[in-house]
Every structure is written in structure tokens, then in C-alpha cells.
């Protein structure tokens, strides 16, 4: 009798485990199906950025660079086509040998430089090149921007690889999160292969910020600039190394600061901008803050989507106009300012 009861209990336990496992598998499958069908329309930032990283990036074999684009890959992200050229950039093809009489500018930066969520013609580098080429000089701009990069990665990438294109000018595009530590690709099976895992992770982060006092974006950015934060220290070291490298080779270097577009007036990070500017200027490098170029602009009017504060074509036009004027002021013998009729806002 006891053996029969024990056998029955074991069968019941096994049935419970089996039925629960099947239910969980079915529920997970349905969630995965839902996310793939309903959250892949190009508007979910977490999923689109994950797809971009999964499809177009690889771990770089260059020390301290972290990740880089896979040459020749392409896809559609945030509803926008992205094509990576043979050098690993979201740009047209560029010859290593510079054409005679050409002024070559190389832009280093992250997803803002890359043009996340923007059409190719709405990327700042594209707008700037068209604007500068309305004058007599032949200007070539190379856009090496890559999403989720920081200043340390960008400087190392230029010094150890991209320098072979021999730019006359390097523009280091700086954003407030460039003081982050270099990201490392996590070895997580679920995050590597399942849309639903990315979706749940994103929703969990929102819940933690809203209801459990996880640091919001303002506190997060501000904490990056604590005196002894390793990412901020690495950023300063990278700046010094980049300046030394460029000075030794007579490459002109400027740093352009891109504002955080969630709030512009009053701007919550003016003190951080001033801190970064002080570190740049003490190295003898010209510094341009793009915030004044957005005066009286509504923040949402500058976003690529209603929920994504990366700069859209309107912001890119304002940025390009400001950078153009700065270049003309810094290097009048090299650049000439276009006429009013050739304003960036007139270039379609």
C-alpha cells in the first residue's frame, strides 16, 4: 500500500513538473512570438539597438577599442537603412590615398555621429560636407561613428587603425555618456538569441527607475563625472594621447560637444560641459559647444522619434551650420563661409 501511494505521489510530482515546464515553454514561446510580431516595427529602441549590435558589430581585435562594425553589412534599424562600407563605417567608400587638393576631415564619435535613427542625408557629417563644399575648396568628411562607443575607444581606434587615411583635421564628437567605461559583450545565451529577453530587460529597467528609485538619467550622467570614476579617468587619458598623436603629425584636432536633447532650457548639465571644456582647452584644443545652436528649439522637435532623443535632420542641420562656422573661424585659410543662399537649411 505504501509503495503504491509513493508511486502515485512520484507520478503526480512528475506530472506537475512536466505540465509546468510545458506551460512555461508555451508561455515563453508566445511571448517571443508577440515581441517579434508587435515590437519589431522599428520603434522599440532597446530591440532596434540590440539588432544593430547583433547584426552589424563584432568584437574588435584592436586593444582597447571594444567593438567595431562588420564591413559590408547592412540592415534596417529604427525604420532607416544602414549600410556599412568596406572600412567598417556608415559612409560611402573612401580611398586611403587622399585626392590632391582635398581637405580631409575625420569625425570620431558614437551613435550621434553614426546617425542613429536618421536617414543617410540627415546625418550631421553628410550635412556638413555638403555645406562646406559649396565653397571653392574640396572637402571630404569621413564618418567613423559607431553606436555605444566612448572617447577612449574612439581615440584608440583612430590611433591604431583609422590614422592611415591621413586626415588634415580630426573632429572628436563628444557626448555626455562618453565618460562611460568601455562596454564588454556579455556572454548571455538568452540576451544573445531571444527578442523577448531584450524586451523584458528593457521593461524591467523602466520599472526599477520609476518605482524603486534606480538612478534616473540625470543622476546617471552626473555620476559618470565623479573625480575618481574609472571611465572619466580613461576619457581624460585618451584625450591627452589623442592630442599628443595629432600634434606629432600636424593634424588639427577640435572637440565638438553635443548636448543631451531631453532638456535644453535650462540645460541640466552645463557644469559638466564646462568641466569637459576645461580639460580640452588646457590641452590647447579648440572646443565647440553645440547647445547655443539649438536656442529656442523645442527638444522633441529635434528627436528622431517621439521616444528617441538622438538628433534628427533638423538638429543635424543646426549642428552642421554651427560646426561650419567654427571651422571657418578657426581655419580661415582653409575654409570659406558659404553665402546666405547656401545655408545648410537650404540644402535638401
Amino acid at each position: 500500500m505504501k509503495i503504491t501511494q509513493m508511486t502515485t505521489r512520484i507520478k503526480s510530482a512528475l506530472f506537475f513538473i512536466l505540465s509546468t515546464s510545458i506551460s512555461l515553454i508555451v508561455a515563453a514561446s508566445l511571448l517571443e512570438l508577440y515581441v517579434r510580431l508587435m515590437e519589431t516595427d522599428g520603434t522599440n529602441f532597446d530591440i532596434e539597438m540590440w539588432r544593430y549590435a547583433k547584426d552589424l558589430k563584432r568584437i574588435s581585435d584592436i586593444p582597447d577599442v571594444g567593438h567595431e562594425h562588420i564591413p559590408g553589412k547592412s540592415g534596417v534599424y529604427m525604420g532607416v537603412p544602414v549600410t556599412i562600407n568596406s572600412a567598417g563605417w556608415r559612409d560611402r567608400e573612401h580611398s586611403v590615398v587622399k585626392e590632391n587638393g582635398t581637405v580631409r576631415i575625420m569625425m570620431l564619435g558614437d551613435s550621434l555621429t553614426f546617425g542613429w535613427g536618421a536617414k543617410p542625408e540627415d546625418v550631421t557629417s553628410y550635412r556638413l560636407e555638403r555645406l562646406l563644399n559649396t565653397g571653392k575648396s574640396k572637402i571630404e568628411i569621413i564618418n567613423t561613428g559607431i553606436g555605444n562607443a566612448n572617447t577612449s575607444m574612439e581615440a584608440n581606434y583612430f590611433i591604431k587603425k583609422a590614422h592611415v587615411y591621413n586626415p588634415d583635421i580630426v573632429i572628436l564628437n563628444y557626448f555626455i555618456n562618453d565618460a562611460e567605461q568601455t562596454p564588454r559583450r556579455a556572454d548571455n545565451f538568452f540576451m544573445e538569441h531571444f527578442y523577448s529577453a531584450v524586451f523584458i530587460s528593457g521593461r524591467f529597467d523602466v520599472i526599477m527607475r520609476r518605482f524603486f528609485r534606480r538612478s534616473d538619467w540625470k543622476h546617471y550622467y552626473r555620476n559618470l563625472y565623479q573625480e575618481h570614476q574609472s571611465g572619466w579617468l580613461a576619457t581624460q587619458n585618451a584625450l591627452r594621447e589623442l592630442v599628443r598623436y595629432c600634434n606629432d603629425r600636424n593634424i588639427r584636432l577640435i572637440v565638438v560637444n553635443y548636448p543631451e536633447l531631453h532638456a535644453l532650457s535650462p540645460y541640466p548639465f552645463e557644469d559638466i560641459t564646462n568641466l569637459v571644456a576645461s580639460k580640452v582647452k588646457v590641452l590647447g584644443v579648440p572646443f565647440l559647444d553645440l547647445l547655443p545652436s539649438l536656442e529656442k528649439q523645442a527638444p522633441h522637435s529635434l528627436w528622431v522619434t517621439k521616444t528617441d532623443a538622438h538628433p534628427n535632420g533638423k538638429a543635424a542641420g543646426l549642428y552642421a551650420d554651427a560646426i561650419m562656422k567654427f571651422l571657418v573661424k578657426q581655419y580661415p585659410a582653409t575654409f570659406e563661409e558659404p553665402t546666405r543662399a547656401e545655408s545648410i537649411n537650404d540644402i535638401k
Side-chain angles (χ1 to χ4, degrees), residues 180-201:
E180 291 178 334
Q181 296 181 358
T182 298
R184 306 295 179 188
R185 189 157 185 166
D187 186 16
N188 185 310
F189 175 81
F190 293 100
M191 292 296 290
E192 283 285 330
H193 297 92
F194 294 98
Y195 284 68
S196 53
V198 179
F199 178 78
I200 291 171
S201 177

Side-chain angles (χ1 to χ4, degrees), residues 13-56:
L14 290 174
F15 177 79
F16 174 78
I17 293 172
L18 180 61
S19 61
T20 300
S21 298
I22 292 174
S23 298
L24 289 174
I25 291 171
V26 170
S29 299
L30 289 174
L31 177 60
E32 179 73 11
L33 180 62
Y34 165 80
V35 174
R36 287 177 180 253
L37 290 176
M38 305 302 294
E39 298 292 336
T40 55
D41 59 353
T43 61
N44 187 304
F45 175 84
D46 294 325
I47 289 177
E48 293 303 292
M49 189 62 81
W50 172 74
R51 290 180 56 241
Y52 158 62
K54 182 179 174 64
D55 297 346
L56 303 190

Side-chain angles (χ1 to χ4, degrees), residues 174-177 179 217-226 232 257 267-279 287 289:
Y174 193 88
F175 186 63
I176 193 169
N177 69 353
W217 60 278
K218 290 182 181 179
H219 289 95
Y220 173 76
Y221 286 144
R222 194 164 294 284
N223 287 338
L224 294 176
Y225 290 86
Q226 297 298 314
W232 176 227
N257 185 74
Y267 188 61
F269 304 116
E270 183 177 358
D271 57 331
I272 293 177
T273 300
N274 292 336
L275 174 63
V276 175
S278 69
K279 299 297 183 181
F287 179 88
D289 180 20

Side-chain angles (χ1 to χ4, degrees), residues 44-252:
N44 187 304
F45 175 84
D46 294 325
I47 289 177
E48 293 303 292
M49 189 62 81
W50 172 74
R51 290 180 56 241
Y52 158 62
K54 182 179 174 64
D55 297 346
L56 303 190
K57 291 182 185 178
R58 67 186 180 192
I59 297 173
S60 177
D61 57 3
I62 307 171
D64 301 317
V65 168
H67 56 258
E68 61 187 15
H69 288 136
I70 304 172
K73 298 285 284 186
S74 64
V76 177
Y77 308 93
M78 300 295 290
V80 173
V82 173
T83 299
I84 305 302
N85 69 13
S86 62
W89 310 320
R90 188 193 182 190
D91 205 341
R92 67 181 188 277
E93 295 293 333
H94 294 272
S95 170
V96 174
V97 179
K98 182 173 57 180
E99 184 179 338
N100 288 336
T102 296
V103 177
R104 176 172 280 179
I105 301 172
M106 178 169 283
M107 298 186 83
L108 312 179
D110 58 10
S111 57
L112 280 77
T113 303
F114 169 88
W116 175 256
K119 298 176 182 178
E121 63 270 23
D122 285 335
V123 178
T124 300
S125 59
Y126 180 92
R127 295 286 190 109
L128 179 61
E129 183 178 69
R130 292 192 66 190
L131 181 60
L132 289 173
N133 276 303
T134 58
K136 296 178 182 179
S137 302
K138 171 64 177 176
I139 311 298
E140 177 190 16
I141 296 183
I142 298 177
N143 182 352
T144 70
I146 180 170
N148 206 30
N150 60 31
T151 295
S152 179
M153 296 164 63
E154 295 152 14
N156 277 291
Y157 177 77
F158 172 68
I159 291 171
K160 296 173 182 177
K161 184 174 183 179
H163 68 91
V164 298
Y165 284 80
N166 295 313
D168 302 286
I169 299 172
V170 168
I171 299 178
L172 175 64
N173 292 321
Y174 193 88
F175 186 63
I176 193 169
N177 69 353
D178 283 353
E180 291 178 334
Q181 296 181 358
T182 298
R184 306 295 179 188
R185 189 157 185 166
D187 186 16
N188 185 310
F189 175 81
F190 293 100
M191 292 296 290
E192 283 285 330
H193 297 92
F194 294 98
Y195 284 68
S196 53
V198 179
F199 178 78
I200 291 171
S201 177
R203 301 288 75 74
F204 177 77
D205 185 65
V206 170
I207 292 171
M208 291 299 293
R209 292 181 189 279
R210 182 171 297 178
F211 299 109
F212 296 95
R213 297 185 178 182
R214 177 179 285 185
S215 178
D216 65 15
W217 60 278
K218 290 182 181 179
H219 289 95
Y220 173 76
Y221 286 144
R222 194 164 294 284
N223 287 338
L224 294 176
Y225 290 86
Q226 297 298 314
E227 185 176 357
H228 299 297
Q229 284 284 6
S230 59
W232 176 227
L233 293 174
T235 297
Q236 296 174 73
N237 289 334
L239 279 170
R240 287 191 288 268
E241 182 63 18
L242 182 61
V243 171
R244 183 200 63 76
Y245 185 91
C246 289
N247 285 344
D248 288 348
R249 290 157 181 80
N250 295 315
I251 300 171
R252 289 169 285 183

